[in-house]
């Protein structure tokens, strides 16, 4: 475990306090579960473990941020106007990184990229981003049909795990009859070859 995070100039204790102040107890537990899974995946796949830890701890920092705040950030940073047609599910990563930069001064581009794409992925994900994307799905607190298979696949191949998760996510969203964010489909198209 890391005692200090120079990227945000905070001790682990102070960082956890700040994160806790943004969310429910349940979500905070999820974040610690994602950190544990991300560290294990990072060790396994040769990714920077410290960055994996910090990316995991901050990935859902903005999950309970109000809609008005996101709409303000989309304007302030001139982000893609189409974002306004979506909701917190899409905003908390893609737009959440601007809140994280403002609140915590985080500038590390690799960590920001991983958090930015943690919900919808990207055809060009770094290994750190893949680690976070998969860890978010398989952390020990998750319990849904397919999670055991997802964990087994994550143990074999990081790319295959991204592909499996994206395939299941898209099928799940279609069953729910909700809109699928185009970047989620792009991720599916880029990674599905690893599941063949
Ligand atoms: P969480 O923040 O730990 O709950 O996990 P994620 O950030 O991965 O996902 C947040 C929510 O967004 C989940 O309920 C997903 O099902 C949902 N989600 C992910 N991709 C899409 C998408 O393309 N479209 C829609 N409508 N929802 C999505
Ligand atoms: Fe999330
Ligand atoms: Fe999460």
């Amino acid at each position: 475990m890391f005692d200090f995070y120079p990227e945000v100039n905070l001790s682990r204790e102070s960082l956890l306090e700040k994160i806790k102040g943004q969310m429910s107890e349940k979500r905070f537990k999820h974040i610690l579960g994602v950190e544990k899974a991300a560290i294990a995946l990072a060790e396994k796949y040769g990714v920077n473990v410290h960055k994996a830890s910090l990316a995991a701890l901050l990935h859902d920092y903005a999950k309970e941020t109000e809609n008005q705040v996101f709409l303000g950030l989309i304007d302030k940073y001139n982000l893609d106007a189409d974002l306004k047609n979506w909701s917190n599910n899409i905003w908390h990563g893609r737009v959440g990184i601007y809140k994280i930069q403002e609140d915590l001064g985080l500038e590390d581009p690799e960590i920001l990229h991983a958090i930015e794409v943690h919900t919808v992925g990207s055809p060009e994900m770094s290994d750190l981003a893949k680690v976070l994307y998969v860890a978010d799905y398989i952390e020990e607190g998750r319990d849904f049909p397919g999670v055991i298979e997802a964990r087994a696949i994550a143990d074999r191949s990081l790319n295959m795990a991204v592909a499996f998760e994206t395939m299941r996510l898209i099928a799940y969203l279609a069953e729910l009859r909700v809109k699928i964010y185009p970047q989620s489909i792009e991720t599916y198209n880029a990674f599905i070859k690893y599941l063949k």
Side-chain angles (χ1 to χ4, degrees), residues 1-147:
M1 216 51 87
F2 303 94
D3 293 332
F4 187 71
Y5 293 88
E7 297 91 339
V8 287
N9 197 26
L10 288 172
S11 66
R12 179 176 177 88
E13 204 185 335
S14 311
L15 175 62
L16 293 184
E17 276 311 309
K18 287 206 183 223
I19 295 167
K20 232 179 184 165
Q22 294 290 321
M23 63 189 64
S24 68
E25 194 64 35
K26 183 165 180 256
R27 180 150 290 118
F28 185 69
K29 267 184 91 174
H30 161 68
I31 273 158
L32 294 179
V34 176
E35 185 198 23
K36 195 170 158 189
I39 288 175
L41 289 171
E43 281 171 349
K44 185 173 179 69
Y45 293 109
V47 168
N48 185 310
V49 176
H50 178 84
K51 289 195 183 200
S53 161
L54 186 53
L57 291 175
L58 289 176
H59 84 282
D60 280 341
Y61 179 84
K63 187 85 189 235
E64 292 178 23
T65 295
E66 287 181 17
N67 290 350
Q68 271 319 108
V69 172
F70 286 118
L71 292 167
L73 289 168
I74 293 167
D75 284 337
K76 183 171 175 185
Y77 293 98
N78 273 315
L79 306 181
D80 180 3
D82 174 62
L83 279 166
K84 292 193 176 175
N85 299 318
W86 298 82
S87 67
N88 177 285
N89 281 346
I90 301 301
W91 295 335
H92 77 281
R94 179 80 170 74
V95 186
I97 56 167
Y98 295 91
K99 180 166 170 61
I100 293 170
Q101 289 178 72
E102 289 191 357
D103 287 9
L104 300 164
L106 176 66
E107 288 176 1
D108 186 296
E110 288 183 70
I111 297 175
L112 290 170
H113 162 74
I115 297 172
E116 181 178 20
V117 304
H118 88 265
T119 305
V120 298
S122 158
E124 278 131 44
M125 286 164 105
S126 66
D127 283 354
L128 178 67
K130 292 175 192 172
V131 160
L132 178 59
Y133 184 82
V134 173
D136 195 13
Y137 198 67
I138 65 167
E139 62 101 353
E140 61 192 8
R142 295 283 199 205
D143 182 18
F144 55 83
V147 74

Side-chain angles (χ1 to χ4, degrees), residues 148-166:
I148 292 178
E149 198 178 352
R151 289 186 184 122
I153 294 172
D155 212 37
R156 286 172 48 201
S157 155
L158 194 54
N159 283 327
M160 205 190 285
V162 171
F164 181 81
E165 169 179 343
T166 309

